[in-house]
Amino acid sequence: MKASERRLLAFFGDYVAVNIAFYLMVGLAIRLITSALEMPVAEMENLITDVQEGAALFFVCLYFTVSEIRNGSTSFKDLFGLHVSGTSQQIIKRNMLKFLPVWISLLGNIISDDTCLKWLEIGGTVMVIAGSCLGLYYLSSVFYGPKGTLYDRLSGTVVTYHPTMDRGF
């Protein structure tokens, strides 16, 4: 398996696992709070959705950043034998750039009531689809190697594959 394929699978594995854990915790917390306050969830649905999406994204960014600063890898990067090299500042910048399209889309969704800013929601959504869902961020790693993704090149980080760290994937 190529390093770029390992990176893509590791990213999606981490992203899905962290989101599932977060949404289970937040979903339980929301149910407990709304039942304690005797408030129907439907009344707060839009607010809950915006807060939950923003908090989930923050939690995911925090997970990637802290894991990569402390260990040089996330859980799934470790499974695939990948290691992120760079200073703490470079890794923070890397993860801010990695999730920038999602932050833009979320901001666009929150302020979508203002028609003047509708372009932000549309532009952010296009960036999310192109950058994250289709893996176009990772496509450049096929051509440029370990420092191949756009956010790695802009932040100065390098992701390397270590066969000795590979857990069989």
Side-chain angles (χ1 to χ4, degrees):
M1 182 182 312
K2 295 179 184 178
S4 57
E5 294 168 349
R6 291 175 186 283
R7 288 185 72 168
L8 185 62
L9 290 173
F11 172 76
F12 283 116
D14 280 320
Y15 191 79
V16 168
V18 171
N19 269 297
I20 288 172
F22 178 81
Y23 278 104
L24 287 174
M25 290 185 300
V26 170
L28 178 61
I30 289 170
R31 296 287 179 226
L32 291 173
I33 291 168
T34 54
S35 65
L37 298 175
E38 297 179 3
M39 297 175 69
V41 176
E43 284 183 18
M44 301 174 48
E45 191 170 327
N46 288 339
L47 175 64
I48 289 171
T49 302
D50 289 343
V51 169
Q52 195 170 4
E53 286 176 1
L57 182 55
F58 176 77
F59 186 71
V60 168
C61 287
L62 189 65
Y63 163 76
F64 275 88
T65 303
V66 170
S67 296
E68 290 172 359
I69 287 173
R70 294 189 81 208
N71 308 321
S73 65
T74 59
S75 299
F76 276 81
K77 278 187 187 77
D78 191 44
L79 282 175
F80 285 96
L82 299 170
H83 181 79
V84 179
S85 299
T87 66
S88 296
Q89 290 82 6
Q90 288 173 318
I91 291 173
I92 291 168
K93 184 178 178 182
R94 173 185 198 270
N95 285 298
M96 292 300 290
L97 290 168
K98 181 191 297 186
F99 293 104
L100 183 62
V102 188
W103 283 112
I104 291 171
S105 178
L106 179 62
L107 180 61
N109 287 336
I110 291 170
I111 59 176
S112 64
D113 295 335
D114 187 349
T115 55
C116 295
L117 298 173
K118 196 68 173 172
W119 62 270
L120 185 61
E121 179 182 4
I122 295 166
T125 303
V126 168
M127 287 177 71
V128 167
I129 292 168
S132 298
C133 297
L134 300 177
L136 293 179
Y137 267 177
Y138 289 91
L139 187 60
S140 61
S141 67
V142 172
F143 303 107
Y144 295 105
K147 200 171 178 168
T149 61
L150 180 60
Y151 52 84
D152 282 321
R153 292 199 326 249
L154 291 173
S155 65
T157 56
V158 178
V159 178
T160 53
Y161 169 65
H162 299 278
T164 56
M165 292 173 45
D166 194 342
R167 308 261 192 266
F169 288 99

